[in-house]
Amino acid sequence: MLTYIAKRLLHTLPVAFGVSIVCFLLVHIAPGDPLTSVLPPDASAQLQAEMRKIYGFDRPLPVQYGLWVLKTLQGDLGVSIATGRPVASELSRALGNTLMLAVLATLIGFILGSMFGFVAGYFRGSWLDKLASFVSIIGVSVPHYWLGMVLVIIFSVQLNWLPATGAGPGGSADWVWDWVHIKHLILPAVTMSVIPMGIVARTVRALVADILSQEFIVGQRAKGLLDLGVFRHVVKNAAPTALAVMGLQLGYLLGGSILIETVFSWPGTGFLLGQAIFQRDLPLLQGTILVLAMFFVALNLIVDVVQTMLDPRVQRS
Amino acid sequence: MSVPLVELDNLTVRFHGERTVHAVNGVSFTLKAGETLGILGESGSGKSVTLKTLLRLLPENRTEIGGGVRVDGADILKLEGRALADHRGGTASMIFQDPMLALDPVYTIGEQIAEAVIRHEGVSSAEGMARALDMLTRVRIPSPERRLKAYPHEMSGGMRQRAMIALALACRPKLLLADEPTTALDATVQIQILLLLRDLQREFGMGMIFVTHDIGVAVEVSDRVAVMYAGEIVETGSVRDLIRDPRHPYTKGLLAANLHGAVKGARLHAIPGAPPALAEAPKACSFAPRCPVKVSGCDINRPPSVALGEARQVRCVLAAPAPGA
Ligand SMILES: Nc1ncnc2c1ncn2[C@@H]1O[C@H](COP(=O)(O)OP(=O)(O)OP(=O)(O)O)[C@@H](O)[C@H]1O
Ligand code: SF4
Ligand SMILES: [Mg+2]
């Protein structure tokens, strides 16, 4: 098992390298001069050259890349052009918020999705299956920002039960574990959970239907197991794949929530990314994308390892 | 006379779906406690379906079962819920052709055997595991402690079949249903498994129904043999009677093709022609299209099953007892 993990780690190195190259080049590929947003429009050529030197843009690209990686490895992602604060600290706060939102949304989505999927797979072809499939198709196809707005209208505007935006009272972005803050989390998490719910439901439905059609299920019945006993076998057979899908969904949610975070003004990475793009804040953009991409790489690694540990059939060498 | 262990009375099984399949068409036999009945027949003759009916393992919604099925005094077709689950694996259990497909790939052998014992006898999981170990020892698996923790894919075919037998016998069933348990194995392993099954059957005093399409195997393990063709039993009798004096043209054909040629272990496909499609219930003799000795009535009327002495029956118009007998 340890050798497997070591091997798998080695395999991720080239991926991580590629990701870092892309992130680094982003600044240079992006149209326009990275300095235009810091400099006054009428800056003199001399000032421009000076700034270029300060930011290190006058050196050859490989050198710039090497220096950048070195700094990154030390946790220094540069300084946000818009706010002047270190990108790393902006990011770590946003990451915490996004992580919380994504984990909760994935959990809700996984629990509901598994339930729908199981029911649909067990009673395949019945009206229960059709109902469960209908719900999960809606989950996948409804625009999430729209769903978010509908929920806000119902639960914030009409019923006044939950706050509409932000992560805490008065728009504060610092999280505290109390009811006031948790109330802010509910609507965005529920909105976001619809994405993994639909995908998990579809996966689990197909898995369950496939497992139930296998001969070993007849074998389990033949030894006298009741429905609950057979259910245990279905769950253990479906678990590795279902959990892997859940893990990957968590990865998507960690990076792909710009719309939902914007609708709810949730101070997470998606929101930060949106700001970085609109304000042409390149260091912030570069740092955010790099960290999110690395997150995804790490998550893939974890999912693979967990799946291998759960499934005795996968060769462990 | 005590009640027989198994009593099939004119069993019919029909599958509905895109097309209807008349898989079993009026099968009757009895099995005494401790007796072994071999069911012999070519592919598609309804052997597995007959066995599965005894455990009610056929898909409920598409299957129409008629006639009577009694095992150990219970009306199997009336069993529901927990009573049915108690019957499966408790009173009667089954060994499948391919244990790789019948065992759950993600549970260990020990867990799967213990699970059955816990379910039927309500023991603790430690006791269940102890029984699993005992059973693995009885089926003569080498280093049973280690195999207890093995997954099905970590064992050889013969070893898996031994584990399957251990699982089937863990709750001391009165009836063992063996559906071609050796077909998927190498010849040498086949013989070992057959001998093991015969020994265990005596040791546990079980009745056994052994399905095969290998005449040699049927002769080896059975007290009596039933020959199936197109969902009907065309002939039953003791092994001796059947081999010495086959009465049904189909049985004769099988024996001529397989025994006299002395091809031990050969499959049953030496008779020209193919079995009927089973799209409808038989109205005439099902074997008529392939029968070398058929007479004029064979295409029109279904021949009755004629009793020729105790435990010997033949479904053929030519098999009527000699005049005066
Ligand atoms: N679940 C099912 N649904 C529909 N038809 C079935 C089903 N199970 C079996 N049949 C059909 O019933 C007939 C008898 O099948 P059965 O499996 O009993 O044959 P068999 O004698 O066991 O043959 P083999 O030696 O190949 O195992 C076949 O035509 C088969 O296609
Ligand atoms: S009934 Fe007729 S066709 Fe059928 S086996 Fe006997 S002789 Fe042949
Ligand atoms: Mg079969």
Side-chain angles (χ1 to χ4, degrees):
Chain A
M1 195 69 218
L2 275 178
T3 27
Y4 170 78
I5 296 178
K7 249 193 212 160
R8 195 60 190 71
L9 259 172
L10 268 178
H11 281 299
T12 52
L13 282 182
V15 180
F17 178 69
V19 166
S20 69
I21 294 268
V22 171
C23 286
F24 170 74
L25 288 179
L26 200 72
V27 179
H28 299 269
I29 296 168
D33 194 310
L35 291 179
T36 38
S37 50
V38 234
L39 291 170
D42 54 350
S44 68
Q46 194 203 346
L47 182 60
Q48 276 189 25
E50 242 167 63
M51 285 304 273
R52 219 170 273 282
K53 200 157 186 170
I54 291 172
Y55 278 88
F57 288 139
D58 56 338
R59 302 209 181 154
L61 272 186
V63 176
Q64 283 189 46
Y65 173 75
L67 288 174
W68 177 69
V69 167
L70 260 174
K71 274 184 13 185
T72 303
L73 285 178
Q74 289 161 1
D76 180 2
L77 291 169
V79 172
S80 160
I81 293 174
T83 63
R85 282 196 292 252
V87 170
S89 72
E90 296 266 335
L91 242 175
S92 73
R93 195 169 57 175
L95 264 177
N97 288 332
T98 289
L99 196 65
M100 201 155 54
L101 181 59
V103 167
L104 187 65
T106 310
L107 273 183
I108 299 175
F110 183 72
I111 292 169
L112 290 180
S114 304
M115 267 165 40
F116 284 138
F118 259 109
V119 169
Y122 245 92
F123 302 100
R124 201 159 53 132
S126 71
W127 64 270
L128 266 172
D129 175 20
K130 288 183 185 117
L131 184 71
S133 302
F134 180 71
V135 171
S136 60
I137 285 177
I138 292 208
V140 175
S141 43
V142 87
H144 308 108
Y145 57 90
W146 177 83
L147 178 68
M149 289 191 264
V150 170
L151 289 180
V152 164
I153 291 172
I154 297 175
F155 291 99
S156 309
V157 180
Q158 301 286 332
L159 297 171
N160 201 18
W161 286 353
L162 297 166
T165 58
S172 105
D174 292 306
W175 183 261
V176 187
W177 279 108
D178 62 11
W179 178 232
V180 183
H181 283 79
I182 291 173
K183 262 163 87 173
H184 282 82
L185 185 57
I186 294 177
L187 279 187
V190 167
T191 307
M192 201 185 237
S193 76
V194 165
I195 307 170
M197 185 200 76
I199 289 164
V200 169
R202 275 197 293 187
T203 313
V204 169
R205 176 184 184 271
L207 271 173
V208 168
D210 172 56
I211 292 167
L212 283 177
S213 73
Q214 288 180 34
E215 194 166 311
F216 79 82
I217 291 296
V218 176
Q220 302 315 310
R221 295 229 157 87
K223 72 188 198 195
L225 293 191
L226 297 162
D227 284 344
L228 197 68
V230 175
F231 179 77
R232 267 187 54 210
H233 284 265
V234 176
V235 169
K236 189 157 180 196
N237 275 272
T241 313
L243 288 177
V245 169
M246 181 183 90
L248 293 176
Q249 281 305 303
L250 180 62
Y252 288 121
L253 292 193
L254 282 177
S257 51
I258 300 186
L259 286 177
I260 290 175
E261 288 191 358
T262 307
V263 166
F264 289 100
S265 305
W266 181 261
T269 48
F271 193 55
L272 198 64
L273 206 60
Q275 280 182 324
I277 291 169
F278 289 123
Q279 300 172 347
R280 293 191 50 75
D281 193 339
L282 280 172
L284 188 61
L285 188 60
Q286 196 179 33
T288 311
I289 291 179
L290 178 74
V291 168
L292 289 182
M294 289 304 174
F295 244 78
F296 203 73
V297 173
L299 210 82
N300 259 306
L301 177 72
I302 294 170
V303 164
D304 266 14
V305 171
V306 170
Q307 200 177 12
T308 312
M309 289 197 299
L310 282 181
D311 192 337
R313 283 165 300 183
V314 179
Q315 203 62 47
R316 290 170 231 169
S317 52
Chain B
M1 265 300 289
S2 58
V3 221
L5 178 59
V6 180
E7 238 182 320
L8 281 194
D9 180 21
N10 199 21
L11 174 73
T12 55
V13 180
R14 227 154 269 184
F15 295 108
H16 298 291
E18 288 145 47
R19 49 189 198 92
T20 302
V21 180
H22 294 251
V24 176
N25 303 300
V27 162
S28 307
F29 64 74
T30 58
L31 181 81
K32 287 181 287 203
E35 190 188 19
T36 300
L37 173 72
I39 299 185
L40 191 61
E42 63 197 297
S43 197
S45 55
K47 307 182 297 289
S48 298
V49 171
T50 306
L51 278 202
K52 284 185 178 157
T53 312
L54 288 165
L55 283 187
R56 286 265 305 276
L57 285 175
L58 300 166
E60 294 278 318
N61 46 358
R62 295 188 294 111
T63 315
E64 186 187 328
I65 305 179
V69 182
R70 302 187 76 84
V71 176
D72 198 28
D75 183 346
I76 299 307
L77 299 186
K78 291 226 169 65
L79 290 180
E80 287 300 334
R82 190 169 269 275
L84 178 58
D86 287 342
H87 168 69
R88 293 169 173 166
T91 314
S93 56
M94 188 143 164
I95 311 174
F96 297 85
Q97 175 172 343
D98 188 348
M100 190 64 201
L101 298 176
L103 294 166
D104 186 329
V106 303
Y107 280 90
T108 64
I109 296 297
E111 286 168 341
Q112 299 193 53
I113 299 178
E115 190 181 25
V117 182
I118 293 166
R119 159 68 187 83
H120 285 287
E121 301 179 10
V123 298
S124 71
S125 63
E127 285 170 285
M129 274 299 181
R131 174 78 63 82
L133 182 61
D134 173 47
M135 289 312 298
L136 289 185
T137 316
R138 280 165 184 269
V139 297
R140 298 171 213 154
I141 283 189
S143 48
E145 289 88 358
R146 203 153 53 85
R147 296 301 166 191
L148 212 53
K149 297 189 194 74
Y151 290 94
H153 72 272
E154 294 169 340
M155 304 169 103
S156 69
M159 198 104 80
R160 271 200 294 272
Q161 194 55 287
R162 283 175 196 267
M164 182 82 229
I165 294 171
L167 167 61
L169 301 189
C171 298
R172 307 291 134 92
K174 294 181 178 164
L175 173 65
L176 180 63
L177 306 168
D179 192 353
E180 308 198 32
T182 59
T183 309
L185 305 172
D186 300 340
T188 47
V189 184
Q190 260 191 31
I191 294 162
Q192 290 170 8
I193 297 283
L194 280 184
L195 293 177
L196 173 72
L197 266 178
R198 217 172 51 179
D199 290 354
L200 288 172
Q201 188 236 346
R202 287 193 190 134
E203 187 183 333
F204 286 62
M206 298 173 294
M208 175 155 83
I209 302 179
F210 193 103
V211 161
T212 177
H213 43 219
D214 184 328
I215 292 187
V217 169
V219 168
E220 195 68 40
V221 295
S222 321
D223 302 315
R224 270 190 309 134
V225 173
V227 180
M228 275 191 89
Y229 183 78
E232 296 174 287
I233 291 186
V234 292
E235 180 160 8
T236 33
S238 68
V239 172
R240 234 177 103 222
D241 287 352
L242 212 85
I243 300 243
R244 283 199 186 160
D245 180 22
R247 292 296 181 86
H248 196 281
Y250 179 64
T251 319
K252 285 180 187 169
L254 286 183
L255 289 173
N258 292 283
L259 277 193
H260 299 303
V263 210
K264 199 158 190 273
R267 297 284 160 90
L268 310 177
H269 39 49
I271 304 169
L278 303 174
E280 51 190 57
K283 287 193 217 69
C285 173
S286 307
F287 190 57
R290 295 166 82 182
C291 182
V293 294
K294 81 171 181 196
V295 293
S296 59
C298 296
D299 290 322
I300 304 160
N301 297 313
R302 191 174 173 201
S305 196
V306 183
L308 307 173
E310 208 196 330
R312 181 132 168 84
Q313 299 201 321
V314 183
R315 197 185 272 282
C316 170
V317 290
L318 298 183

